[in-house]
Amino acid sequence: MCGIVGYVGRKAATPILLEGLKKLEYRGYDSAGVAVWNGEKIEVEKAKGRLRVLVEKTDNGAFPVGSAGIGHTRWSTHGKPSDINSHPQTSGTGRTAVVHNGIIENYMELKEYLASQGVTFVSETDTEVVAHLFEHYYKGDLLEAAERVASVLEGSYALGILVADHPDTLVAMRHDSPLIIGLGEDENFIASDVTAILEHTRSVYYIEDKEIAILTGASVEVYDQHSRRVKKTPSHIDWDVQAAEKGGYEHFMLKEIMEQPAAVQATISPRIKNGRVELEIPLSDEDIRSFDRIYIAACGSAYYVGCAAARVLETLLHIPVLTQLASEFRYQSPLVDERTLVIIISQSGETADSRAALREAKRLGARTLAIVNVVGSAIAKEADMSLYTWAGPEIAVATTKAYSTQLAALYLLGIRMAEARGTVTPERYGELVAAVEALPGLIEKTLGIKEQTQQLASRWFSAEHVFFIGRGIDYAVSLEGALKLKEISYTMSEAYAAGELKHGPISLIVDGTPVIAVISDNRLFEKTLSNIKEVSARGASVAAIVCESARDISGEGVTPLTIPDCEPLFAASLSVIPLQLLSYYIASLKGCDIDKPRNLAKSVTVE
Ligand code: AGP
């Protein structure tokens, strides 16, 4: 998604803006730009393409010269990637510059109104409307103009605004799109997320929806939508800068794959005390017993976490657990009421589809729980309860450690709820807690499979199609494996329930077609092995993720990828690891842009 950075203080703004935008590249973009007050006017430099084009255009940040400015990386929604559609967008006089993340849903209506007032437009963007609108309403008072703009905008926006009449001041405002304020010494910042300003300050304000902030180098004033001054309490960001950097790995994705033991440890440790699960959410035993069903709504990998977790929760809680794509949830007339727990899973906490599902669930009267990784994110704030995954910043577009910590958080939730519902014996409760506590070590051990997955990747990286099969939780993991391979190596990959192949997809299997089977559950071993034989008989090149205790199948023409034995309910946490590594190494061999795959964004804040 788009990235926003703003600076006001005593230093040269342009280098700070460019450095901040570099830290936001992971969000996905196709153009970039800056607008800086240069002592006489707002000077704008922007360009289609990667950030390096803008860096070159500004002579490595040597200009524009000034100490107040805004910067932007654009992920196109309205209007193709082009110089003119890049942000910052300006008013006709050039005395107002705006950077924007989100979608102004009524921009055509506003555009028609402004055109009737004599405004002419140069770009195809919705954002340009905001620049003209602000200037239209500006009569000398920044706050008043901002309030009037906010009163007519519909849709989602995080805005950074620079106005020539107030060259040492930034205006920041948001609705449904994240924006933070960084608090410095005689300098202040705005940013889409903390990674952009972490090297300058760890003290931030989270701007709430409909709040408006007026920043100078010496002051930050925040107002609510009723023009009342809001007293904000700074939050301290304790991420270390290294955590937001690559840490010696070639790609963020590999770093984050390797961080999974620590990320899962950080997610479970604070919630297991003296062998008991204690969750910091307002969910009483009575609440838990009142639920007669659970819905899980999410997108992409988070949805696949939901598919795996649904099997775990149903087994533990003996109530229906339905997983739905968040983008479908609103349109399926979900059977949700006050006896339903709706769980929204989201790494970014800003995914528009998931947020919309959350709102629909609340409208229908459900209790809502968010499983999110970004503190203070929109979904975390809007849900009745939030259970954070302490994965730390996840930079690679392809999620890995967030996926694993989401699973872990849901295991803990399942154990907690099972105890309250009396659906597990004390012995089984103890077994499950111990099994979760063992996961970081088992994940660490599973990461030792790197070499085998590299060898398999070297056999399969030129394949056009790869198939993933599994049953039950293994099918859910297969879905995630197929997505990983698709999104970072651009290889056509499909996942099927193992029993489904013979009902059609097996017609696609020809000599040498790669098929990887996930068989973490020994109880389904022979069943899935028979499906493997069906594809082997048609020439497929087959690998299988199997547990240590499974019988040896290497003699049957199948390449085994062996993972440690573990609690079958939690096996997804281990079986996903080889699939993450396989997709990484195939993408690496294909020379793909692993951390920033084409067309993708880290957080999809548009529907
Ligand atoms: C996963 O690797 C993808 N980047 C994508 O499917 C992602 O999981 C999805 O967009 C949901 O994002 P969220 O977890 O931030 O809501």
Side-chain angles (χ1 to χ4, degrees):
M1 273 339 292
C2 302
I4 289 174
V5 186
Y7 175 80
V8 58
R10 298 174 185 276
K11 299 170 189 161
T14 302
I16 291 172
L17 297 175
L18 293 177
E19 196 46 47
L21 293 179
K22 205 186 293 287
K23 296 290 194 309
L24 296 179
E25 283 191 286
Y26 74 87
R27 297 165 67 90
Y29 70 102
D30 45 52
S31 60
V34 294
V36 174
W37 172 258
N38 69 6
E40 292 170 3
K41 64 172 182 150
I42 295 175
E43 186 177 344
V44 177
E45 294 295 342
K46 57 187 186 176
K48 177 185 172 186
R50 306 307 285 179
L51 188 59
R52 62 175 172 275
V53 176
L54 180 65
V55 171
E56 287 160 15
K57 197 170 182 181
T58 61
D59 191 9
N60 203 24
F63 68 91
V65 175
S67 56
I70 50 181
H72 190 262
T73 48
R74 178 177 183 245
W75 189 62
S76 307
T77 52
H78 292 66
K80 63 185 178 303
S82 68
D83 289 0
I84 198 66
N85 286 336
S86 309
H87 300 198
Q89 287 290 322
T90 58
S91 60
T93 64
R95 296 186 61 77
T96 304
V98 174
V99 290
H100 169 220
N101 183 19
I103 285 186
I104 306 301
E105 292 178 355
N106 63 334
Y107 85 99
M108 284 309 293
E109 173 195 330
L110 295 170
K111 197 165 183 172
E112 285 161 16
Y113 164 70
L114 289 163
S116 73
Q117 304 294 306
V119 171
T120 52
F121 293 84
V122 296
S123 81
E124 302 163 283
T125 68
D126 53 341
T127 306
E128 186 186 355
V129 168
V130 178
H132 291 293
L133 206 57
F134 194 96
E135 188 146 293
H136 178 72
Y137 286 133
Y138 175 70
K139 306 299 179 210
D141 183 314
L142 291 174
L143 178 60
E144 182 190 322
E147 285 166 345
R148 294 198 64 184
V149 167
S151 68
V152 298
L153 291 186
E154 293 172 14
S156 58
Y157 57 83
L159 295 169
I161 304 170
L162 181 63
V163 178
D165 280 11
H166 302 262
D168 59 351
T169 305
L170 298 183
V171 177
M173 50 200 286
R174 63 150 291 184
H175 180 244
D176 276 0
S177 190
L179 195 61
I180 62 162
I181 293 172
L183 306 167
E185 294 294 322
D186 292 331
E187 61 184 14
N188 290 301
F189 307 78
I190 61 174
S192 298
D193 70 47
V194 290
T195 43
I197 56 171
L198 206 53
E199 66 180 281
H200 302 289
T201 179
R202 296 178 178 280
S203 179
V204 301
Y205 289 151
Y206 291 101
I207 303 181
E208 304 288 345
D209 269 354
K210 296 286 191 183
E211 286 184 343
I212 295 167
I214 310 289
L215 296 78
T216 66
S219 67
V220 175
E221 297 173 1
V222 180
Y223 298 86
D224 68 14
Q225 56 186 324
H226 307 298
S227 312
R228 292 177 304 218
R229 186 78 186 272
V230 175
K231 180 158 176 36
K232 305 289 278 186
T233 304
S235 298
H236 179 77
I237 304 298
D238 53 10
W239 291 352
D240 60 61
V241 176
Q242 292 305 318
E245 298 301 333
K246 287 182 192 168
Y249 289 95
E250 187 181 357
H251 299 101
F252 278 112
M253 183 178 178
L254 186 56
K255 170 174 175 280
E256 289 155 8
I257 288 172
M258 305 310 282
E259 284 178 341
Q260 290 181 111
V264 169
Q265 188 70 59
T267 299
I268 63 177
S269 296
R271 295 153 174 160
I272 298 179
K273 296 182 177 67
N274 305 318
R276 299 194 53 71
V277 173
E278 293 178 13
L279 303 182
E280 71 284 6
I281 53 178
L283 196 63
S284 68
D285 287 2
E286 187 185 358
D287 293 336
I288 291 171
R289 288 192 285 268
S290 73
F291 297 132
D292 64 359
R293 78 195 63 159
I294 295 173
Y295 266 84
I296 300 175
C299 301
S301 292
Y303 168 72
Y304 297 139
V305 166
C307 294
R311 303 288 70 75
V312 175
L313 295 174
E314 275 188 343
T315 303
L316 292 178
L317 306 180
H318 306 169
I319 53 175
V321 181
L322 303 121
T323 309
Q324 272 201 338
L325 289 168
S327 55
E328 293 286 303
F329 181 78
R330 274 191 295 169
Y331 309 110
Q332 301 303 321
S333 310
L335 300 173
V336 168
D337 59 26
E338 63 286 345
R339 296 190 61 198
T340 311
L341 172 65
V342 173
I343 301 171
I344 305 292
I345 307 172
S346 175
Q347 187 285 133
S348 62
E350 300 294 346
T351 300
D353 289 322
S354 304
R355 192 170 181 184
L358 170 59
R359 289 177 172 171
E360 177 65 2
K362 292 180 77 169
R363 187 185 70 81
L364 295 170
R367 281 295 294 284
T368 57
L369 167 65
I371 308 276
V372 291
N373 192 45
V374 178
V375 174
S377 57
I379 289 172
K381 284 187 177 136
E382 281 188 40
D384 298 321
M385 305 170 278
S386 291
L387 197 58
Y388 284 115
T389 50
W390 302 114
E394 186 176 69
I395 307 300
V397 166
T399 184
T400 49
K401 62 177 182 174
Y403 173 98
S404 293
T405 55
Q406 289 160 2
L407 280 176
L410 285 156
Y411 299 154
L412 293 174
L413 178 71
I415 296 168
R416 164 75 182 95
M417 292 181 70
E419 186 194 32
R421 295 180 68 93
T423 46
V424 292
T425 64
E427 293 75 24
R428 181 63 177 143
Y429 177 91
E431 281 174 12
L432 291 167
V433 172
V436 170
E437 288 184 305
L439 282 178
L442 292 173
I443 294 171
E444 186 70 48
K445 187 176 175 186
T446 308
L447 286 167
I449 208 167
K450 263 177 73 175
E451 284 66 33
Q452 294 99 305
T453 51
Q454 279 177 296
Q455 288 161 15
L456 188 60
S458 62
R459 282 170 45 200
W460 284 1
F461 78 96
S462 55
E464 287 184 18
H465 298 80
V466 178
F467 292 80
F468 296 73
I469 61 172
R471 291 171 185 270
I473 289 174
D474 290 338
Y475 173 44
V477 173
S478 299
L479 289 164
E480 169 61 7
L483 177 63
K484 286 273 107 31
L485 189 60
K486 268 196 274 279
E487 66 176 326
I488 66 169
S489 78
Y490 316 142
T491 304
M492 190 58 220
S493 324
E494 274 308 313
Y496 292 101
E500 266 304 289
L501 274 181
K502 55 186 175 298
H503 297 290
I506 200 164
S507 66
L508 296 170
I509 303 297
V510 296
D511 195 40
T513 302
V515 177
I516 184 161
V518 184
I519 325 177
S520 70
D521 187 341
N522 286 335
R523 293 167 299 178
L524 299 170
F525 187 85
E526 296 306 332
K527 280 280 183 208
T528 305
L529 197 57
S530 65
N531 302 132
I532 287 178
K533 287 177 177 160
E534 289 160 7
V535 295
S536 295
R538 288 157 178 82
S541 166
V542 186
I545 297 173
V546 295
C547 294
E548 280 168 347
S549 58
R551 69 179 176 79
D552 180 11
I553 51 173
S554 52
E556 298 175 54
V558 178
T559 304
L561 296 171
T562 306
I563 60 175
D565 287 331
C566 78
E567 162 58 49
L569 282 179
F570 305 153
S573 299
L574 305 189
S575 56
V576 75
I577 303 293
L579 301 185
Q580 294 169 343
L581 290 167
L582 179 65
S583 62
Y584 174 80
Y585 288 119
I586 287 180
S588 180
L589 287 166
K590 292 182 73 173
C592 296
D593 189 352
I594 290 173
D595 285 336
K596 298 190 286 293
R598 68 186 180 205
N599 307 339
L600 292 181
K602 182 59 182 171
S603 173
V604 185
T605 56
V606 295
E607 290 191 39

